[in-house]
Amino acid sequence: MTAFSLEPAQLAWCAELRTLAAERLRPLADKGEPGQVNRALVAELGSLGLLGRLFTSGALDLCLMRESLAYACTEAETALALQGLGAHPVHAHGTREQRARWLPRVADGTAIAAFALSEAGAGSDAAALELRAEPAAPALAAAPDGPARWRLTGEKCWISNAPEADFYTVFARTTPGAGARGVTAFLVPADRKGLTGRGLDMLSPHPIGALGFDAVPVTADDVLGEVDRGFRVAMGTLNLFRPSVGAFAVGMAQAALDATLAHTAGRDAFGGKLKDLQTVAHQVAEMALRTEAARLMVHAAASAYDAGAPDVPRRSAMAKLLATETAQYVVDTAVQLHGARALQRGHLLEHLYREVRAPRVYEGASEVQRGIIAKELYARQEAR
Ligand SMILES: Cc1cc2nc3c(=O)[nH]c(=O)nc-3n(C[C@H](O)[C@H](O)[C@H](O)COP(=O)(O)OP(=O)(O)OC[C@H]3O[C@@H](n4cnc5c(N)ncnc54)[C@H](O)[C@@H]3O)c2cc1C
């Protein structure tokens, strides 16, 4: 790829993905239950080889997949992203046993993964999380030469794919009062005793829920990475996924833009077509301009990640911020230019209008991204 455009093979792959999303994934998504994990859809993503690619290719590939799927089927896009988010910590930090048990099933779509960081009292300030990992009571503890054991007690909230996932990457506090330095990542299979959950009803039907941990037993064999170093596992995963949230947003923006081009070119108004009104045409131009700028920034941030560049957190934050805010603007403008029909239930834009809102909040709200950008800028200034 040059600095400003994709290779022909990448463009062809994106076109193929958009077709697959429309023809193979959209029908499965339509058959799913709103707000629940759609296992048939995830299995199809697996048999198309897309889930496997989550672990064999880089950030740019991830962005191209997310953008292309989102264009034609946001449900497929989200299902793919959630498999990646939940399983990336296992891929990057898991032991041979953990990887062998779960990754093939994540890749073929038979195991559903989830990433459990947020709590009702700790969202943006994730380092304040309180789910306790307490050493198991002596009577329950392992033999002296056995693995370390803990009990997880507390709650997680707004966890995508909960409570239906087959396993969770759970971030728990192993050292009280130590902030980000006292958090450990655990791989918790859904059938562990004491683990319960309930679904949450969101603006846009999304498989998501809250989890309850009532002294759920875990051992050293369940740790992902190192004890007390789990925050790095979380942040490493988010650094990879942040530009791709932007890609999801760009895919939605492009879908809204294309729908608007078709609509304004065909809609009769005032003796001509809507597009003949200069204010309308200029709004469409503005939508296209901002979508393209966001796309370029997303691709640049993902390429920087793949190249191991030093300024990935700032660039990822910029890409996620710009793309999600842009998509909100583009979808909103598309609704305006469509008029009432866009607000009818079942219309593409009614769907996108609900769908586009959450990415400005999750994986770091827009304000949090601005904080990351400013922090890095001032750190560089001081280092001069
Ligand atoms: C659809 C959806 C899916 C999700 N999936 C997952 C998941 O799979 N796993 C998971 O762990 N979590 C998930 N989340 C939770 C998500 O990560 C949190 O919602 C997010 O971190 C924000 O936390 P909060 O909602 O508690 O908002 P708060 O932290 O209470 O923030 C509220 C608002 O305060 C402002 N604010 C916060 N911090 C700052 C700051 N530093 N500077 C300036 N302003 C600030 C922002 O406007 C922010 O939106 C999901 C959320 C949604 C909506």
Side-chain angles (χ1 to χ4, degrees):
M1 196 187 78
T2 71
F4 302 107
S5 66
L6 297 174
E7 299 288 351
Q10 290 170 311
L11 291 169
W13 187 50
C14 290
E16 188 189 331
L17 287 171
R18 285 196 297 270
T19 305
L20 283 175
E23 293 177 0
R24 304 254 308 255
L25 300 168
R26 176 83 263 149
L28 291 169
D30 289 341
K31 284 189 207 146
E33 270 304 309
Q36 292 191 9
V37 171
N38 184 334
R39 286 187 181 258
L41 180 64
V42 179
E44 185 67 3
L45 286 166
S47 60
L48 290 171
L50 300 180
L51 298 177
R53 266 190 103 125
L54 286 169
F55 308 116
T56 55
S57 54
L60 181 60
D61 256 23
L62 176 62
C63 286
L64 299 184
M65 282 198 281
R66 292 192 69 174
E67 181 185 331
S68 307
L69 294 181
Y71 181 79
C73 185
T74 57
E75 296 88 340
E77 185 286 331
T78 300
L80 173 112
L82 295 179
Q83 286 291 86
L85 192 65
H88 181 264
V90 182
H91 169 69
H93 302 276
T95 60
R96 190 142 33 106
E97 291 72 23
Q98 289 169 329
R99 291 165 56 94
R101 177 172 178 200
W102 291 107
L103 294 182
R105 292 188 56 206
V106 169
D108 70 15
T110 53
I112 302 295
F115 180 87
L117 177 65
S118 302
E119 299 176 5
S124 304
D125 186 9
L129 66 83
E130 287 183 346
L131 180 82
R132 300 192 307 277
E134 294 165 316
L140 303 167
D145 58 345
R149 284 168 188 258
W150 297 265
R151 300 269 169 180
L152 302 181
T153 304
E155 287 178 2
K156 292 285 177 188
C157 199
W158 306 298
I159 307 306
S160 299
N161 280 344
E164 297 177 74
D166 296 298
F167 72 92
Y168 298 89
T169 295
V170 177
F171 297 88
R173 177 151 307 288
T174 27
T175 302
R181 298 221 168 95
V183 170
T184 301
F186 294 95
L187 194 170
V188 182
D191 58 4
R192 277 291 155 87
K193 193 165 170 286
L195 177 58
T196 54
R198 65 190 164 86
L200 296 170
D201 193 9
M202 306 298 275
L203 171 68
S204 191
H206 180 95
I208 189 167
L211 294 170
F213 295 78
D214 182 9
V216 174
V218 285
T219 74
D221 293 340
D222 300 313
V223 171
L224 288 167
E226 292 171 52
V227 172
D228 280 347
R229 307 301 278 269
F231 213 67
R232 283 188 174 188
V233 176
M235 293 306 125
T237 304
L238 293 177
N239 273 341
L240 168 62
F241 276 81
R242 245 172 217 151
S244 78
V245 177
F248 170 39
V250 168
M252 289 191 281
Q254 188 66 50
L257 171 61
D258 287 356
T260 305
L261 280 169
H263 178 71
T264 52
R267 171 76 170 160
D268 291 318
F270 305 102
K273 300 293 181 190
L274 264 185
K275 75 177 171 66
D276 301 330
L277 301 172
Q278 194 183 49
T279 49
V280 170
H282 281 194
Q283 282 190 83
V284 170
E286 187 68 24
M287 291 160 76
L289 171 78
R290 295 199 202 180
T291 302
E292 186 61 12
R295 176 182 289 114
L296 289 173
M297 193 170 257
V298 165
H299 292 178
S303 302
Y305 181 97
D306 288 338
D311 52 355
V312 166
R314 176 180 59 83
R315 299 182 74 165
S316 295
M318 284 182 167
K320 197 239 171 201
L321 171 63
L322 183 77
T324 57
E325 295 288 339
T326 295
Q328 180 83 50
Y329 158 80
V330 170
V331 170
D332 186 60
T333 308
V335 168
Q336 193 69 15
L337 292 178
H338 274 73
R341 60 198 38 77
L343 297 172
Q344 256 176 279
R345 251 195 226 294
H347 192 280
L348 169 71
L349 287 167
E350 178 266 341
H351 170 74
L352 292 177
Y353 194 67
R354 288 182 289 110
E355 196 69 31
V356 81
R357 190 62 185 83
R360 290 171 59 210
V361 171
Y362 61 59
E363 293 189 38
S366 292
E367 295 82 355
V368 171
Q369 307 304 338
R370 288 192 181 92
I372 293 170
I373 296 164
K375 193 174 152 198
E376 229 183 270
L377 289 174
Y378 285 117
R380 268 208 262 165
Q381 169 80 9
E382 273 171 31
R384 272 192 196 142

